[in-house]
């Protein structure tokens, strides 16, 4: 059992510093569990999802990042399935879900998740979304507020430009897109290559979320970023300051996938956020 070492707590900024841990050990083949897997016909595609836990308990929706799948959230499923009804999905163009004929956008994916929740007769869910999943979580809270009880958005960005993403990240995406297009020009039209192009193109064109839209979010939101994430700190603060009920958690010595590489830290803070009434203490009030 790996031990979590709390190094310090900085209450005024709600930032926590922990020792590094790595991934979790699971015995279930998440993403390939025939006993828990199902398909739903959503927006013209077959959408694959798995559910875990007692369906009478608070629903928890897990939304993976770009290029991920159900398996990406295995550490969160393991941690939360005893206390929540966990739903985790392969987003379109990923995993076992279909592609569809429409342009791949975050708004389309958000509507996929909204309709899946309706299909499952679920309202007011807690959400953990990472990267693309964090963006979808924010859009869910903006466009379908009745569906969101509390949201943890890990490493989302509002725009696909150098004010929201480090230039090296944009350069890498453009380089990756060029390579994929070269493959296609050489005759590679495999499903994997087509998916790769759609996923990269989406990140280079979207999202386009205005800060005024963030101000409409009623649900409490915990924003989680690594201190070496894809986003400049200025953009992190921009998101934080424009969500009315937002807390901010920065994971030290962590990059973009803290929820997978630092699951003990991430899950501990997620549980704390879900189980506690929202508060945003102010130093001037004695906190």
């Amino acid at each position: 059992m790996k031990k979590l070492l709390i190094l310090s707590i900085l209450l005024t900024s709600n930032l926590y510093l922990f020792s590094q841990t790595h991934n979790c050990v699971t015995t279930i083949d998440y993403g390939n569990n025939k006993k828990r897997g199902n398909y739903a016909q959503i927006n013209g595609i077959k959408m694959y999802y798995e559910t875990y836990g007692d369906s009478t308990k608070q629903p928890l929706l897990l939304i993976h990042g770009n290029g991920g799948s159900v398996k990406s959230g295995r550490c969160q499923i393991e941690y939360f399935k005893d206390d929540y009804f966990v739903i985790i999905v392969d987003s379109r163009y990923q995993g076992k879900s279909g592609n569809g004929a429409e342009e791949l956008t975050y708004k389309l994916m958000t509507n996929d998740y909204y309709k899946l929740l309706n299909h499952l007769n679920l309202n007011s869910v807690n959400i953990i979304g990472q990267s693309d999943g964090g963006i979808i979580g924010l859009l869910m809270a903006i466009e379908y507020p009745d569906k969101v009880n509390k949201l943890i958005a890990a490493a989302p960005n509002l725009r696909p430009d150098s004010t929201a993403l480090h230039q090296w990240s944009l350069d890498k995406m453009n380089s990756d897109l060029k390579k994929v297009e070269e493959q296609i020009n050489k005759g590679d039209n495999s499903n994997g290559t087509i998916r790769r192009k759609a996923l990269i193109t989406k990140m280079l064109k979207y999202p386009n979320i205005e800060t005024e839209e963030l101000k409409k979010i009623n649900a409490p939101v915990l924003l989680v970023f690594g201190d070496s994430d894809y986003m400049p700190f200025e953009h992190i603060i921009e998101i934080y300051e424009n969500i009315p009920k937002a807390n901010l958690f920065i994971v030290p010595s962590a990059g973009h996938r803290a929820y997978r590489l630092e699951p003990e830290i991430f899950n501990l803070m997620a549980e704390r956020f879900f189980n506690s009434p929202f508060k945003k203490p102010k130093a001037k009030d004695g906190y």
Side-chain angles (χ1 to χ4, degrees):
M1 176 70 72
K2 295 174 183 174
K3 295 182 179 179
L4 177 64
L5 173 64
I6 300 180
L7 298 178
S8 65
I9 301 177
L10 307 178
L11 290 176
T12 56
S13 57
N14 203 31
L15 308 185
Y16 297 79
L17 305 182
F18 295 89
S19 65
Q20 187 175 9
T21 60
H22 295 279
N23 263 311
C24 58
V25 177
T26 63
T27 57
I28 297 173
D29 188 10
Y30 293 115
N32 294 296
N33 188 349
K34 293 181 180 179
K35 292 181 179 180
R36 308 304 301 173
N38 290 282
Y39 285 92
Q41 195 68 30
I42 303 290
N43 285 336
I45 66 166
K46 288 177 66 177
M47 202 166 186
Y48 179 77
Y49 66 96
E50 294 180 2
T51 60
Y52 295 89
D54 185 343
S55 61
T56 65
K57 293 184 177 180
Q58 170 69 40
L60 171 60
L61 175 65
L62 305 179
I63 310 177
H64 64 75
N66 193 288
S69 66
V70 168
K71 192 175 183 67
S72 303
R74 60 191 179 276
C75 296
Q76 284 65 54
I77 302 171
E78 280 284 313
Y79 191 88
F80 288 105
K81 66 183 180 181
D82 290 338
D83 296 318
Y84 291 83
F85 177 54
V86 179
I87 309 100
I88 184 163
V89 186
D90 284 345
S91 297
R92 69 166 62 215
Y93 276 84
Q94 290 149 101
K96 295 179 179 179
S97 291
N99 297 348
E102 301 174 70
E103 179 190 12
L104 184 63
T105 68
Y106 289 107
K107 289 205 170 187
L108 173 60
M109 297 169 78
T110 301
N111 190 254
D112 287 343
Y113 278 90
Y114 170 72
K115 289 187 176 177
L116 179 68
L117 292 179
N118 286 341
H119 171 79
L120 296 173
N121 295 313
L122 294 175
N123 291 299
S124 192
V125 301
N126 287 344
I127 298 176
I128 296 176
Q130 193 272 335
S131 192
D132 271 17
I135 294 168
I136 293 168
L138 290 176
L139 287 171
M140 285 282 290
I142 292 167
E143 298 185 8
Y144 310 109
D146 291 345
K147 291 293 187 187
V148 183
N149 181 44
K150 287 187 175 182
L151 166 65
I152 298 176
N157 60 289
L158 304 182
R159 303 177 292 276
D161 62 27
S162 59
T163 68
L165 296 167
H166 289 298
Q167 187 61 49
W168 58 260
S169 174
L170 295 167
D171 291 344
K172 184 178 186 307
M173 284 191 282
N174 277 297
S175 175
D176 289 345
L177 180 59
K178 183 178 179 181
K179 291 176 184 176
V180 171
E181 289 176 335
E182 287 173 353
Q183 288 179 263
I184 293 172
N185 290 336
K186 291 177 182 178
D188 181 359
N189 289 302
S190 64
N191 188 50
T193 300
I194 296 302
R195 285 184 162 203
R196 180 77 174 143
K197 180 181 178 180
L199 292 169
I200 298 170
T201 301
K202 171 174 59 65
M203 289 192 294
L204 287 168
K205 291 179 66 176
Y206 306 104
N208 294 290
I209 302 172
E210 301 292 337
T211 54
E212 288 303 310
E213 294 180 273
L214 295 182
K215 293 175 183 177
K216 299 176 184 177
I217 295 176
N218 293 319
V221 178
L222 174 62
L223 296 164
V224 181
F225 294 88
D227 64 357
S228 300
D229 219 312
Y230 292 169
M231 299 81 192
F233 279 111
E234 293 82 1
H235 188 57
I236 293 172
I237 298 303
E238 178 186 6
I239 299 171
Y240 170 66
E241 290 184 337
N242 281 284
I243 298 175
K245 298 179 186 175
N247 290 147
L248 178 60
F249 176 39
I250 303 292
V251 185
S253 302
H256 190 58
R257 297 174 180 84
Y259 82 123
R260 290 171 62 180
L261 299 179
E262 304 281 2
E264 291 179 354
I265 298 170
F266 185 94
N267 293 339
L268 176 68
M269 294 309 302
E271 182 178 37
R272 176 183 183 270
F273 176 71
F274 287 146
N275 290 346
S276 304
F278 177 82
K279 60 182 179 179
K280 200 168 186 175
K282 296 180 180 179
K284 69 178 183 179
D285 295 329
Y287 287 93

